[in-house]
Amino acid sequence: MPFIPHTSDDISAMLATIGVASIDALFDEIPPELRVADSALAAIPEALSELEITRLMHARARADGQPLCFIGAGAYEHHIPAAVWQLATRGEFYSAYTPYQAEASQGTLQLLYEFQSMMTALTGLAVSNASLYDGASALAEAVLMAVRANRQTKSPRVLVPRALHPAYRRTLRTLVAPQGLELVEVDFDPRGGHTALEQLATAAAGAEYAAVVINQPNFFGVLETVDELTDWAHAHKALAIAVVNPLALALLTPPGEWGTRGADIACGEAQPLGMPLSSGGPYAGFLCCKQELVRQLPGRIVGRTLDLDGKPGFTLTLQAREQHIRRGKATSNICTNQGLMVTAATIHLALLGAEGLERVAASCHANTRQLGALLSALPGVEPLFERPVFHELALRLPTPTADVLRLLAAEDILGGFDLGPDYPELAPALLVCATEMRTEDELRRYAETLGRVLARLG
């Protein structure tokens, strides 16, 4: 039966108690020109039955088609076992609110504890929080944290590579610039597509920096020389902030083992772990750090303990009171916890396990290598960079990228990400991605279709 919280009698009693004639009178401060006139609602059709609305939604879904996706660029199409969302949408998880208070259920707290444990295992760092809003804001939190935590310098400057995701760079600038931080961009090597030590030293220009951002892989899919970059950061009194793809960490060296001392902070986007492509989200950011930085870690941390009877229990821990009541003293005020997404990520990781995650990562890498070979065989198509990649590849095209993508879309193929708007010096260029979802036939279909498109465009 439907849940109707207030009957007509309830509403009448409430209005009589407060001395108001109608519900509309409660909103009389809204200017008349901003209100929706009754006539404007006339275009809304009559209610449909369940059968009719189901038929309508299926028709609209069919109109979207089922295009093959080769885009990537921070949002990846991976296989999600059916059990992930069957469990994540159970009432115990689906309707539970973010655990700000200590009275969060033991089940919710245990799940967040398991998520933290898995993220520390992947990153090789000692501590993880219970998630953030998304990968981009997680990076902003990591930068703010690094500036607070660096005891060797009071510099407000941070080195950020241009090979970092453009959306991450924009979000980072939006969130940290008002707090007086200066972001200095480091160009990428035109041949390798990576951030070389020479470019890092040139951008630094002898000044002190609080932190250096190092992404692995970078936005072009290229693998960075993370050991060299991390050691350079530490040699110059800067903390090393790793921005990583959690799936890639199944194959690559974890940030905690980069260089001589390891990265100090690691962050990124958890979307590859059980979260579908859903028109832009929601996603979940993760943030890990060394033990000595834990007091500066924003967000919530769940700890495991024993009660008076010796039974295991879980509770929020190391959460500063200032985070709620003293904004100026808080470690963060934008550390939104993505509880439901973390639930999916935790179940996804538990189902795949270490071996399963490694197999998925290896399959993605193999598919991208095969796709790169097929596309590079086409006239005028060649890799932009010569360094190794993970599961994305930047290609130079012989004709404008926007035209190519438009014609590919007409063939039900989402052909990739146009690099031109963000990196005009590379245009015409295309970033492609092939996850484990793509079959050999689909890779060949893309290559054949792209060949016809390029021939048509001359």
Side-chain angles (χ1 to χ4, degrees):
M1 58 185 296
F3 174 68
I4 303 174
H6 305 114
T7 65
S8 298
D9 291 342
D10 293 333
I11 295 173
S12 298
M14 181 269 290
L15 293 175
T17 300
I18 62 177
V20 177
S22 66
I23 293 292
D24 289 341
L26 295 174
F27 301 95
D28 58 359
E29 70 274 15
I30 300 176
E33 63 271 18
L34 296 181
R35 301 186 187 185
V36 177
D38 291 340
S39 58
L41 302 178
I44 298 178
E46 294 295 323
L48 300 178
S49 67
E50 180 182 351
L51 174 61
E52 292 169 326
I53 198 67
T54 302
R55 185 182 296 121
L56 174 64
M57 297 308 294
H58 278 298
R60 291 184 175 178
R62 285 193 297 271
D64 288 338
Q66 291 183 315
L68 296 178
C69 182
F70 292 90
I71 297 180
Y76 304 102
E77 183 185 11
H78 291 292
H79 171 67
I80 303 173
V84 171
W85 284 97
Q86 184 69 28
L87 295 174
T89 53
R90 285 179 59 94
E92 302 95 310
F93 295 127
Y94 197 62
S95 60
Y97 190 57
T98 179
Y100 286 100
Q101 290 81 23
E103 63 267 21
S105 73
Q106 283 293 294
T108 296
L109 292 172
Q110 180 177 355
L111 183 136
L112 294 174
Y113 178 84
E114 299 294 347
F115 171 77
Q116 294 170 179
S117 301
M118 292 173 178
M119 297 316 300
T120 55
L122 278 174
T123 60
L125 290 167
V127 187
S128 167
N129 72 5
S131 87
L132 294 165
Y133 184 69
D134 60 12
S137 60
L139 173 58
E141 293 284 9
V143 167
L144 292 170
M145 175 183 172
V147 174
R148 291 193 306 269
N150 194 329
R151 298 289 184 252
Q152 299 186 73
T153 178
K154 296 297 183 181
S155 172
R157 291 183 291 270
V158 176
L159 288 167
V160 179
R162 278 193 73 219
L164 179 68
H165 196 304
Y168 280 40
R169 286 186 281 134
R170 289 192 291 268
T171 301
L172 180 60
R173 191 173 297 109
T174 297
L175 294 179
V176 309
Q179 303 199 40
L181 273 62
E182 180 184 351
L183 303 177
V184 178
E185 290 198 341
V186 184
D187 210 350
F188 54 86
D189 183 88
R191 293 182 59 188
H194 65 301
T195 304
L197 282 180
E198 296 79 11
Q199 285 144 324
L200 199 62
T202 300
E208 287 191 349
Y209 288 82
V212 178
V213 176
I214 307 168
N215 49 333
Q216 181 77 323
N218 66 25
F219 183 62
F220 306 128
V222 171
L223 300 184
E224 297 277 1
T225 56
V226 293
D227 294 331
E228 294 180 355
L229 298 176
T230 303
D231 285 342
W232 187 96
H234 291 152
H236 291 79
K237 302 180 181 180
L239 297 184
I241 300 174
V243 182
V244 291
N245 181 329
L247 178 63
L249 294 182
L251 296 177
L252 304 177
T253 303
E257 299 176 12
W258 290 358
T260 305
R261 292 160 44 192
D264 303 283
I265 304 170
C267 61
E269 174 57 64
Q271 183 272 330
L273 308 177
M275 301 174 206
L277 297 176
S278 303
S279 301
Y283 292 153
F286 61 88
L287 185 57
C288 306
C289 69
K290 292 180 175 178
Q291 182 70 40
E292 55 265 32
L293 302 180
V294 66
R295 287 290 181 180
Q296 295 295 335
L297 185 66
R300 287 157 291 287
I301 303 175
V302 177
R304 184 178 185 274
T305 185
L306 298 176
D307 64 14
L308 292 176
D309 298 324
K311 297 178 181 178
F314 302 88
T315 184
L316 293 176
T317 184
L318 289 179
Q319 187 176 25
R321 186 173 178 83
E322 287 81 5
Q323 188 158 306
H324 299 298
I325 64 173
R326 296 176 63 190
R327 293 171 61 89
K329 299 290 185 180
T331 54
S332 171
N333 284 294
I334 55 173
C335 52
T336 299
N337 167 268
Q338 289 283 16
L340 184 61
M341 298 300 107
V342 164
T343 300
T346 306
I347 297 170
H348 186 85
L349 285 168
L351 286 173
L352 266 63
E355 181 181 347
L357 203 65
E358 183 177 344
R359 288 184 180 183
V360 171
S363 179
C364 292
H365 176 66
N367 279 351
T368 298
R369 284 175 58 92
Q370 183 178 357
L371 180 63
L374 291 171
L375 299 185
S376 298
L378 300 174
V381 179
E382 60 181 357
L384 269 172
F385 306 115
E386 58 188 25
R387 281 189 57 79
V389 300
F390 172 50
H391 71 352
E392 282 165 296
L393 179 66
L395 299 169
R396 180 177 288 109
L397 298 180
T399 192
T401 308
D403 296 338
V404 172
L405 293 177
R406 175 174 49 82
L407 293 178
L408 286 173
E411 298 286 342
D412 241 7
I413 293 176
L414 304 178
F417 182 87
D418 186 354
L419 291 170
D422 295 295
Y423 303 94
E425 72 275 25
L426 300 180
L430 179 68
L431 184 68
V432 296
C433 173
T435 68
E436 84 283 6
M437 294 290 288
R438 301 283 70 85
T439 66
E440 184 172 347
D441 288 343
E442 290 170 343
L443 299 180
R444 295 189 181 280
R445 176 188 163 191
Y446 180 33
E448 293 168 0
T449 307
L450 179 59
R452 293 196 302 271
V453 166
L454 293 177
R456 177 179 173 183
L457 293 172

